[in-house]
Structure formats: structure tokens, C-alpha cells
Amino acid sequence: MSPDIIEVKYALDTFYFLITGAFVMWMAAGFAMLEAGLVRAKNTTEILTKNVALFAIACTMYLLMGYTIMYGGSAGGILPDAWFGNGIANATAEEVLASNGDIYYSGASDFFFQVVFVATAMSIVSGAVAERMKLWAFLVFAVAMTGFIYPMQGMWKWGGGFLDAAGFQDFAGSGVVHLCGATAALAGVLLLGPRKGKYTADGRINAIPGSNMPLAALGMFILWMGWFGFNGGSELKVSDIGEANAVADVFVNTNAAACGGLIAALIVAHLVFGKADLTMAVNGALAGLVAITAEPLNWGGIGATVIGAAGGVLVVFAVLGIDKLKIDDPVGAISVHGVVGIWGLIAVCFSGNEDATLVGQLTGIGVIFAWTFVTSLIVWAVLKATMGIRVGEQEEYEGVDMSECGIEAYPEFTGSAK
């Protein structure tokens, strides 16, 4: 391969990493808008503060240690070879040319692409614990989650650890990102307890509607757009015909799965509730996206639509089932990212991926869930015993915007405007 071609391919693949990473970073805005729309007006500023702060914390912790943990392990290993440091290293021009194209992207571009994934995992936690968790307890948990809990299980798969050696398949993170985030959220919700008034003493479930459906719908579309970077960038290369075709197929299948999930959830919600439920449609689209993330390449468009549709059906019943268990998740994050994440991982076995086995997939699911749940539960429990994780009853009644942030998002409508 000529030096000029090697340099062009290196530049193109590096640029592709950076652009798709920026798409995934934009998902932070999607989570912020989705969650702001699905909480009550009196809790909007606090949920936005959590989302902007967690992104900064995630990027900082991943720079300090997370990236090194995740990609510093030995082949088939359990523990990383290094724990601290940023691990970012760009190859020199001489090294790139000498590799004859084997080194095909900048080390810094890889870090940037990976760092926005850890922020996505932490964003999943934010919505599930909304409206009653202390802001600073959440942010301290974010330090542990993004610096240690997420990178360790990520190393076991994407860092070449023992899950990868066991044949566990997870193309872009139905397990590593979405199941991990949902499991951390579940551990927090179980210790936190439900919002006041959500469940009555006689067992009734009270719906607590969100305050801004336009924002929720906007958040869904931003996430949908960002997912093209999430899945498309995970192909890791675009600079030859085969890889370019693969990226295009990933984009098509990702979009098809989201469409299938939305349509299926909308139909099922209408059959169950007698109405077209926008929140179920929104979560259906996200469920379709989560479902296809484990394997967005080895499907045709119709197959991807079916996988996404199954996720859309599943998420409706998962939301209802989790509510019946009195597990209060205001935005349905545990259902969308956890329950459907498991479905997406199992569905890989039907995709034509010759390396996927049911044993390998179940092993990955079990390990990610067990690791994340136990470690998260320990961190949440320590926080609960020391600084507390839940605001007071009066603060919850008045809304955490004023007690935690001192600023209301909608003062004209929540009583503070003079």
C-alpha cells in the first residue's frame, strides 16, 4: 500500500471516529431532554443539572483511570494490568507507515469515541432515580460508576478480557452499556424507594405524568440520531469498500429497528390502554434501538425491524410488570435498557453471527448483571449510610429544583414567580 493511501485512510478513519463520537456525545442532550420531559415541572432543573454534571464527571473519570482499566487488561484476563493514567497514545507518522495500514486511526480519537459511551451508561441511571434522589449522592455514585464499575465489565468484553474469550458477542453495547446502566439504576432504585404517592397502601398504582411531552419527543429523536454514531461508529472503520458497506448496513438496520419498536409499542399500548400512549411510543423506539445494538450488522432491514418490534412489545409489558413490583422508574429506563438489553443480547443468536452461542450470551448477561448490581448496591448502600441518598419528604413534595438547585425551570407555572 502506498504511503499516500495509508495516510488518507488513517485520516478518514480517525475523522470517522471523531464524528461518530460527537454523535454519541449528542445523546447526552437527548437523555437530558427526554428525562426533563418525563419528570414533573418542579423537578426539571435538578434532572438537567444531573445530566450536564454526569457527563463532565464521566469524561474526567474515564480520562483519569477508566480508559486505562478498560483497555489495560491482558487477553482473557479478569483484572487490568494498569489502573491509573489516561492511556492515550497517538502513533507517529513513521509508525503508521511502517504498520502498512494496521494502525489506522488516532489513539486520541479512540479515547474520544469510548468516553462518550461511559457517559451514556451513566445517563441511564439518572432517569430511574429521578424526583427523589439527592443531587450530590448521585454525582458521587457517578464517580464510582464511570471510573470503576463500568470500565471493569467493559474490559471483560471490549478490552479482550474473559467474556470476550468466552465468546460473548456485543457489537455496540446492549450489555456493556445499556444493561450495565440499567442494572446500576435498579440497585439504586431498590434502596431509594418509590416516589411519595406512587403506590397506595391498598396496592393501587398512581400514574405520575411528565410535564413536557414535546421535550420528551425531542429527546427521543436526538437519541435516535445519536444512535447512528453509537452503532455505526462501532464498526470502527469506513475507509474501504467492505467497511463502508457495513457501516451503511448498520445505519439502515439501526433505523429499521427503531421504527419497528415504535410502531409495535404504539399498537400494543393502544390495545392495552385504549389510547395511543406517546410515552410508550417514545420508549418503544428506544427499545428497538437498544435491541439492535448488540448486533446491528448481520440482519437485513426486515429482520432488524422484527428485532426492534419485539423490543417494542417487550418494553410495554416490562414497564407494566416493573410497576406492579412497586419498583418506581419514572422514565422506564430499567425496562428500555435492561430488559430489552437482555433481549438484544439473546437475539444475536438468531442473527447469523457464527460466533454467538446461547451459553456465551447468557454468560455475558449474568456476569454484567451480577458485577454491576453487587458493586452498585455496595456504593449506594455506603452513600445511604453516610450522606443519605433521598431528599426529605417536604423537599420531595415541594420539588427538588429549589431544595437541590435553588432555581426552578418553570417559575411562572410552579408558583415562585413574583
Side-chain angles (χ1 to χ4, degrees):
M1 193 182 303
S2 73
D4 287 345
I5 291 176
I6 291 174
E7 289 192 12
V8 170
K9 287 168 69 70
Y10 180 93
L12 179 58
D13 287 325
T14 293
F15 183 70
Y16 183 64
F17 253 146
L18 296 172
I19 289 300
T20 52
F23 268 52
V24 180
M25 183 272 174
W26 190 232
M27 292 173 71
F31 278 112
M33 294 301 97
L34 177 71
E35 293 170 16
L38 293 179
V39 301
R40 288 168 288 183
K42 62 185 180 179
N43 299 310
T44 306
T45 297
E46 197 258 2
I47 200 81
L48 294 173
T49 304
K50 285 198 299 186
N51 275 274
V52 298
L54 76 84
F55 186 84
I57 290 170
C59 292
T60 301
M61 292 305 301
Y62 205 64
L63 181 69
L64 293 175
M65 60 186 294
Y67 186 65
T68 298
I69 290 173
M70 195 158 168
Y71 293 99
S74 56
I78 297 175
L79 297 176
D81 293 335
W83 293 86
F84 297 99
N86 58 46
I88 303 170
N90 290 327
T92 65
E94 291 77 13
E95 289 170 335
V96 172
L97 293 174
S99 76
N100 197 35
D102 289 340
I103 300 174
Y104 63 92
Y105 57 82
S106 157
S109 71
D110 178 63
F111 170 81
F112 179 73
F113 184 70
Q114 300 296 340
V115 74
V116 288
F117 275 64
V118 65
T120 298
M122 190 62 212
S123 293
I124 294 167
V125 182
S126 174
V129 300
E131 300 201 298
R132 72 273 201 206
M133 174 165 275
K134 289 182 176 180
L135 173 64
W136 287 102
F138 174 83
L139 297 181
V140 172
F141 179 80
V143 171
M145 174 72 173
T146 59
F148 176 65
I149 297 173
Y150 171 88
M152 281 296 294
Q153 55 88 42
M155 185 269 286
W156 295 335
K157 168 54 189 170
W158 290 343
F162 77 93
L163 283 182
D164 189 56
F168 175 55
Q169 302 296 305
D170 190 7
F171 185 95
S174 289
V176 172
V177 179
H178 296 282
L179 177 58
C180 176
T183 304
L186 176 63
V189 168
L190 290 176
L191 285 182
L192 189 63
R195 291 167 291 175
K196 296 295 182 184
K198 176 64 179 176
Y199 307 111
T200 64
D202 60 0
R204 287 186 296 109
I205 301 170
N206 292 324
I208 302 178
S211 62
N212 195 322
M213 290 303 102
L215 272 187
L218 175 63
M220 177 207 71
F221 275 119
I222 293 173
L223 287 167
W224 192 328
M225 174 184 167
W227 231 287
F228 295 122
F230 202 95
N231 287 354
S234 295
E235 183 62 25
L236 307 181
K237 193 174 184 180
V238 74
S239 61
D240 60 52
I241 292 173
E243 294 295 343
N245 286 340
V247 168
D249 287 341
V250 168
F251 271 55
V252 168
N253 292 339
T254 298
N255 191 63
C259 294
L262 192 152
I263 293 168
L266 190 64
I267 292 171
V268 171
H270 182 80
L271 294 174
V272 173
F273 308 124
K275 303 289 183 182
D277 189 315
L278 174 63
T279 62
M280 287 298 183
V282 164
N283 277 336
L286 300 180
L289 290 163
V290 171
I292 201 65
T293 293
E295 180 49 85
L297 181 58
N298 287 343
W299 301 100
I302 298 300
T305 304
V306 171
I307 293 301
V313 173
L314 183 60
V315 79
V316 174
F317 293 107
V319 168
L320 295 175
I322 287 174
D323 229 5
K324 287 181 179 178
L325 293 173
K326 293 185 170 53
I327 299 173
D328 185 15
D329 178 1
V331 304
I334 296 169
S335 300
V336 171
H337 302 276
V339 175
V340 180
I342 292 171
W343 156 241
L345 291 167
I346 293 173
V348 177
C349 297
F350 312 117
S351 70
N353 184 329
E354 296 178 354
D355 295 323
T357 65
L358 184 58
V359 171
Q361 295 308 96
L362 292 177
T363 299
I365 291 166
V367 168
I368 291 171
F369 181 86
W371 163 259
T372 308
F373 186 80
V374 171
T375 54
S376 297
L377 196 66
I378 291 170
V379 175
W380 286 126
V382 170
L383 291 173
K384 184 175 182 179
T386 53
M387 63 190 301
I389 61 175
R390 183 162 185 149
V391 299
E393 188 169 340
Q394 185 63 27
E395 293 171 320
E396 184 179 345
Y397 174 77
E398 294 174 352
V400 291
D401 279 3
M402 290 305 297
S403 64
E404 294 289 286
C405 301
I407 302 173
E408 290 184 309
Y410 309 108
E412 294 90 348
F413 302 101
T414 50
S416 296
K418 301 297 183 184

